[in-house]
Amino acid sequence: MEHELLVKVARLYYLDECTQSQIAREIGVERSTVSRLLKKSRAEGIVKISIDEGHTKQAGIVEELRKKYTLKDIIIVKSGSEMYEEVHEKAHQYLQKVTNKSEIVGITWGKTLCDFSKYKLSIKKKKLNFIALTGGYGNLKEYTHINAMINNLSEMYNGRGYFIDFPLIMNSEPVKEEIYNSKFFRNIRNIWERLQTVVVGIGTFEKDINVLWESGLPAPKNMWSLLKTEEPVGEICTRFYDAKGRIIKTEIDKRKIGIEIERFREMRNVIGIAVGNKKINAIKTAINSNLINVLITDEKTGQSLLEA
């Protein structure tokens, strides 16, 4: 009879998450008796408590990163074959945690964010709206157009999508200015100015990591070589920055359709998603220059950031 009582109390407490006071009322005993029964259920092996060493390791990396870097939040997932899936899951969970209902969320373009936009969300806690932070890219068959990403996310969260039906780079500065001053784009710019939450990927200058090289941008032939002389270490939202976090200006900036990432330093939530040792300097600089204030990454990248 006592064995059944121990099992019942353990189930109520550990599985049903009832408080000891609630359990006491349920079975008609004092709260101190519930505490004694729980202790006995562990002693007799009815309840076996174990600690996942993986989560302990991740918690340790987070704690050390908090000591080294000034970040609002850090989320670390286990490195391995399933880490990208888990990174995207954690990013969606965090997004729902920190946003207000019906808030507009800004989204940048890139492989990481493309995959983020395609993630199959199982639990939707609130309605969210999404807006593109840049114009579109050239014909990249392997990647989703940013407007398609916005459509995926707005449908996922039962919200509204704000699209930019222009390429990232216009053919001339006057054409870009004409677009920026149009009634339609003034609305986009007003939303950009009010944004408090964005989700961004972090790129580098290397060809094998940054798909900007493949994007077919109508840029001057010598732009990449000129950009290289400024020693860029990272890229967010098509804006390159150097090791001191200074935004590198290029010849095509006057023709770009996109938010200025200096705005990110004023926002409540700038969620950076980045994985990989080749991105360490880019991530480190983005943190130190306040271009992101939340980092979602994996154990190996987190450990490398501690050693950088």
Side-chain angles (χ1 to χ4, degrees):
M1 187 72 176
E2 186 184 41
H3 179 79
E4 293 178 1
L5 182 60
L6 291 175
V7 171
K8 180 177 181 178
V9 169
R11 182 183 293 112
L12 287 169
Y13 187 74
Y14 291 104
L15 298 182
D16 297 342
E17 298 183 346
C18 295
T19 66
Q20 292 187 23
S21 297
Q22 289 172 330
I23 297 170
R25 289 194 295 271
E26 170 78 14
I27 64 176
V29 298
E30 297 293 328
R31 185 181 179 282
S32 60
T33 301
V34 173
S35 179
R36 180 182 60 79
L37 291 171
L38 287 171
K39 185 177 181 179
K40 192 170 184 179
S41 70
R42 294 194 297 272
E44 295 190 5
I46 294 171
V47 174
K48 298 178 181 179
I49 298 175
S50 63
I51 297 175
D52 188 324
E53 293 298 331
H55 284 86
T56 302
K57 180 181 178 181
Q58 292 158 24
I61 294 173
V62 168
E63 184 178 352
E64 292 303 312
L65 285 171
R66 288 189 187 280
K67 293 177 183 177
K68 182 170 182 177
Y69 299 101
T70 302
L71 280 164
K72 177 180 176 180
D73 276 309
I74 307 165
I75 298 172
I76 302 288
V77 306
K78 184 178 180 181
S79 300
S81 59
E82 297 180 358
M83 65 182 177
Y84 292 101
E85 188 81 3
E86 191 173 356
V87 160
H88 298 138
E89 179 184 11
K90 295 295 184 184
H92 279 288
Q93 289 175 353
Y94 186 81
L95 184 62
Q96 294 186 79
K97 174 185 171 183
V98 300
T99 49
N100 300 316
K101 186 177 180 181
S102 297
E103 185 172 342
I104 302 176
V105 178
I107 299 293
T108 63
W109 187 83
K111 185 180 186 307
T112 299
L113 270 294
C114 286
D115 294 339
F116 169 79
S117 74
K118 296 175 184 177
Y119 181 80
K120 302 301 181 184
L121 186 64
S122 57
I123 300 175
K124 288 175 281 191
K125 296 182 179 179
K126 62 184 66 171
K127 173 183 175 181
L128 292 174
N129 307 301
F130 293 85
I131 187 169
L133 298 180
T134 71
Y137 286 72
N139 184 23
L140 287 175
K141 295 180 180 179
E142 296 182 9
Y143 300 98
T144 305
H145 190 283
I146 192 166
N147 279 349
M149 291 164 53
I150 295 300
N151 186 65
N152 290 344
L153 289 164
S154 58
E155 287 188 353
M156 187 187 306
Y157 284 92
N158 300 318
R160 176 181 176 183
Y162 295 85
F163 307 99
I164 298 179
D165 295 320
F166 300 101
L168 174 67
I169 307 296
M170 304 309 298
N171 289 329
S172 68
E173 184 180 353
V175 172
K176 182 257 180 112
E177 290 302 317
E178 183 178 355
I179 290 170
Y180 261 44
N181 292 322
S182 67
K183 182 178 179 180
F184 162 78
F185 215 87
R186 281 200 300 271
N187 182 49
I188 295 293
R189 289 166 62 189
N190 286 337
I191 295 173
W192 282 352
E193 290 172 4
R194 298 195 308 270
L195 280 178
Q196 287 300 314
T197 301
V198 296
V199 184
V200 304
I202 301 173
T204 71
F205 186 70
E206 285 73 15
K207 285 186 177 182
D208 62 332
I209 299 178
N210 199 316
V211 294
L212 282 175
W213 290 86
E214 310 170 38
S215 61
L217 299 176
K221 292 181 180 179
N222 63 345
M223 190 199 79
W224 295 110
S225 58
L226 289 173
L227 185 56
K228 189 175 182 179
T229 65
E230 299 289 339
E231 300 182 342
V233 300
E235 172 266 324
I236 293 177
C237 202
T238 75
R239 264 58 177 184
F240 287 93
Y241 50 90
D242 65 17
K244 293 184 178 180
R246 294 177 297 204
I247 310 304
I248 300 171
K249 301 298 182 181
T250 68
E251 188 175 337
I252 63 171
D253 281 325
K254 294 179 180 178
R255 296 190 275 126
K256 277 184 181 178
I257 300 290
I259 194 171
E260 297 295 335
I261 64 173
E262 289 90 337
R263 266 281 292 120
F264 293 173
R265 295 183 172 117
E266 306 165 5
M267 293 184 185
R268 187 175 71 249
N269 307 302
V270 184
I271 305 166
I273 307 175
V275 170
N277 279 349
K278 290 185 177 181
K279 295 187 175 184
I280 296 304
N281 287 336
I283 299 170
K284 178 181 178 180
T285 304
I287 296 170
N288 289 337
S289 55
N290 299 316
L291 290 174
I292 65 169
N293 59 20
V294 177
L295 175 64
I296 302 176
T297 189
D298 72 307
E299 293 170 351
K300 288 183 178 179
T301 306
Q303 187 62 48
S304 294
L305 283 168
L306 289 176
E307 298 165 0

